[in-house]
Amino acid sequence: MKNDRDLASEIVDRAAIGDVEGANLLLNKAILQKTETTFRAHSVKYLVALFCLTVICLGIDALDGHIIDHL
């Protein structure tokens, strides 16, 4: 697997020799891979936070049902 620097060098090399379409394809592929990874990392954090809030709300409701009704 290539690191970011190697991938950037390959994109620049392709553009320098005139293969602009190939460089664009590599750039699009790199961007898609980065955004998918970032989305997964953020979505896990939000899913854990949502789960924790749900557990807290259910715990409050189990202890005293009137509190959750006022929220």
Side-chain angles (χ1 to χ4, degrees):
M1 181 163 206
K2 295 181 181 180
N3 62 17
D4 292 340
R5 185 177 299 246
D6 293 338
L7 187 58
S9 295
E10 185 177 350
I11 292 170
V12 171
D13 289 342
R14 283 191 182 222
I17 63 172
D19 186 14
V20 177
E21 289 181 17
N24 283 336
L25 288 174
L26 281 174
L27 186 59
N28 287 335
K29 183 179 174 183
I31 290 170
L32 286 175
Q33 286 177 349
K34 289 292 181 183
T35 56
E36 287 175 359
T37 305
T38 304
F39 176 73
R40 287 182 187 159
H42 288 296
S43 63
V44 169
K45 292 176 187 176
Y46 292 131
L47 184 62
V48 169
L50 181 64
F51 179 74
C52 291
L53 287 174
T54 304
V55 168
I56 290 170
C57 289
L58 289 175
I60 290 172
D61 191 34
L63 293 174
D64 186 13
H66 297 288
I67 295 173
I68 202 73
D69 293 336
H70 294 293
L71 291 176

